[in-house]
């Protein structure tokens, strides 16, 4: 079985509170991109094998896909194994849910392979055990992720927009970003305003409410984030923001030629520059 595993960006990201268990309650507008990994899965007599064509991602037990396969086999009490191969196109450690979406693709593929036919709610609850972005990646599209990020509410579609992704070569561990977030000092984006603009079919009004509170941490340590945002805006992006905890910056463009010209500009300085679109 072969599944496309779509990347995501956060069109808006708010952190509401720090919980007693150390996690955070969030409100995130999640959006799938056409950019995807391809995940192949086939039955074997026993054991779980995971390989990936990227050296940046672990094979075997360290791969998020392995954890997803283990949970599905255990949940179904299945007496079989699975061989998984991942063709990686999504930049790694980028804030684009590259690992989470592979995990979700494995859950979808194995739901079919094992004939389990679990409903969406069951699949999302299995996904939540794999990682906090995994439940969104089960169905993708445009959605609100709330609670610790594992509760999903489908939203009206944001529509098809051209997106430029630029990932600067810096490593931003997500736990470090949350640890350094000063909840008392952040300006919260208007998530309700985003959703009501989306319900009116007004994507531009929705974007006017957007913000990513995690930018306050990542961009103050790495000025390159703000630099990429302003270069994108100068080159025709109608909106530019960091995705997730970073470091990838995305820009939304009206014109493909502007996005492609901007991509050519950024490719002079960065290896990971991709033109894609929202789906
Ligand atoms: P998110 O946006 O959900 O925070 P991310 O895009 O920042 O995720 P990932 O690309 O998912 O980060 O990688 C996070 C870590 O997971 C890396 O250290 C990577 O080696 C590891 N990993 C394990 N399995 C995978 C996979 N299938 N694809 C990508 N990374 C994986």
């Amino acid at each position: 079985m072969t599944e496309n595993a779509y990347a995501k960006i956060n069109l808006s990201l708010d952190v509401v509170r720090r919980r007693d268990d150390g996690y955070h309650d969030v409100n995130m507008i999640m959006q799938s991109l056409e950019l995807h990994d391809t995940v192949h899965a086939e039955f074997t007599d026993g054991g779980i094998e995971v390989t990936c064509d990227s050296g940046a991602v672990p094979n075997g037990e360290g791969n998020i896909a392995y954890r997803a396969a283990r949970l599905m086999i255990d949940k179904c009490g299945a007496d079989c194994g699975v061989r998984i191969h991942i063709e990686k196109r999504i930049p790694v450690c980028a804030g684009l849910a590259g690992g989470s979406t592979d995990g979700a693709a494995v859950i979808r593929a194995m739901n079919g392979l094992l004939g389990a036919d679990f409903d969406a709610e069951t699949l999302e609850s299995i996904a939540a055990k794999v990682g906090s972005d995994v439940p969104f990646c089960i169905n993708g599209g445009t959605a609100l992720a709330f609670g610790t990020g594992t509760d999903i509410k489908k939203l009206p579609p944001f529509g098809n927009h051209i997106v430029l992704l630029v990932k600067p070569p810096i490593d931003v561990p997500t736990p470090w970003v949350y640890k350094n977030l000063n909840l008392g000092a952040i300006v919260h984006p208007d998530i309700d305003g985003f959703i009501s603009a989306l319900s009116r079919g007004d994507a531009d009004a929705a974007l006017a409410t957007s913000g990513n509170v995690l930018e306050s941490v990542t961009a103050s340590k790495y000025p390159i984030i703000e630099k990429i945002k302003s270069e994108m805006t100068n080159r025709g992006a109608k909106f530019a923001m960091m995705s997730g905890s970073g470091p990838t910056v995305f820009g939304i463009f009206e014109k493909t030629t502007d996005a492609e010209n901007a991509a050519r500009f950024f490719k002079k300085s960065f290896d990971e520059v991709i033109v894609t679109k929202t789906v």
Side-chain angles (χ1 to χ4, degrees):
M1 217 170 217
T2 297
E3 287 279 333
N4 287 345
Y6 296 95
K8 67 86 185 150
I9 49 174
N10 300 98
L11 292 173
S12 200
L13 192 162
D14 193 19
V15 178
V16 184
R17 69 181 74 82
R18 189 167 276 130
R19 297 155 44 116
D20 293 341
D21 60 10
Y23 287 92
H24 291 79
D25 280 332
V26 294
N27 280 318
M28 305 190 287
I29 306 287
M30 315 287 279
Q31 174 62 53
S32 296
L33 299 177
E34 191 177 59
L35 170 70
H36 61 274
D37 293 344
T38 305
V39 177
H40 305 275
E42 61 179 331
F43 271 136
T44 62
D45 290 340
I48 300 171
E49 291 168 50
V50 181
T51 53
C52 180
D53 63 3
S54 160
V57 171
N59 290 332
E61 280 185 39
N63 199 294
I64 294 166
Y66 185 102
R67 208 153 66 229
R70 175 86 276 150
L71 280 164
M72 283 300 282
I73 287 175
D74 290 352
K75 176 93 180 166
C76 296
D79 183 21
C80 67
V82 64
R83 181 178 299 124
I84 294 163
H85 180 68
I86 301 165
E87 290 173 52
K88 179 64 61 189
R89 292 183 207 91
I90 304 171
V92 177
C93 290
L96 301 172
S100 302
T101 193
D102 293 346
V106 166
I107 291 172
R108 286 197 307 272
M110 292 191 70
N111 196 38
L113 279 178
L114 296 168
D117 212 17
F118 292 133
D119 59 18
E121 205 178 316
T122 309
L123 292 179
E124 282 177 10
S125 77
I126 298 168
K129 295 192 180 116
V130 182
S132 60
D133 281 342
V134 188
F136 162 74
C137 295
I138 293 286
N139 286 309
T142 309
L144 173 72
F146 59 103
T148 57
T150 57
D151 294 317
I152 305 300
K153 182 172 173 251
K154 205 157 179 50
L155 296 176
F158 178 63
N160 292 118
H161 299 267
I162 303 149
V163 174
L164 172 65
L165 302 172
V166 176
K167 181 187 173 249
I170 49 177
D171 191 15
V172 186
T174 305
W176 172 83
V177 177
Y178 276 95
K179 197 165 157 250
N180 286 282
L181 181 66
N182 180 356
L183 275 173
I186 59 180
V187 180
H188 295 276
D190 180 6
I191 298 284
D192 290 340
F194 189 104
I195 294 171
S196 52
L198 216 53
S199 308
R200 300 193 305 273
D202 191 342
D204 287 343
L207 287 176
T209 72
S210 288
N212 177 355
V213 299
L214 301 181
E215 258 184 17
S216 61
V217 182
T218 311
S220 53
K221 172 135 190 222
Y222 300 104
I224 189 71
I225 303 281
E226 284 300 337
K227 192 147 186 284
I228 295 171
K229 282 172 62 180
S230 57
E231 298 279 19
M232 276 197 189
T233 314
N234 291 344
R235 283 171 171 73
K238 63 176 176 180
F239 182 79
M241 199 169 77
M242 187 181 84
S243 182
S245 53
T248 303
V249 174
F250 67 91
I252 297 183
F253 287 75
E254 296 275 8
K255 294 189 196 148
T256 310
T257 46
D258 283 348
E260 284 167 353
N261 287 338
R264 264 191 290 282
F265 166 80
F266 284 112
K267 276 180 184 164
K268 290 182 204 150
S269 312
F270 304 106
D271 290 335
E272 296 182 284
V273 177
I274 297 168
V275 178
T276 181
K277 62 182 181 193
T278 53
V279 287

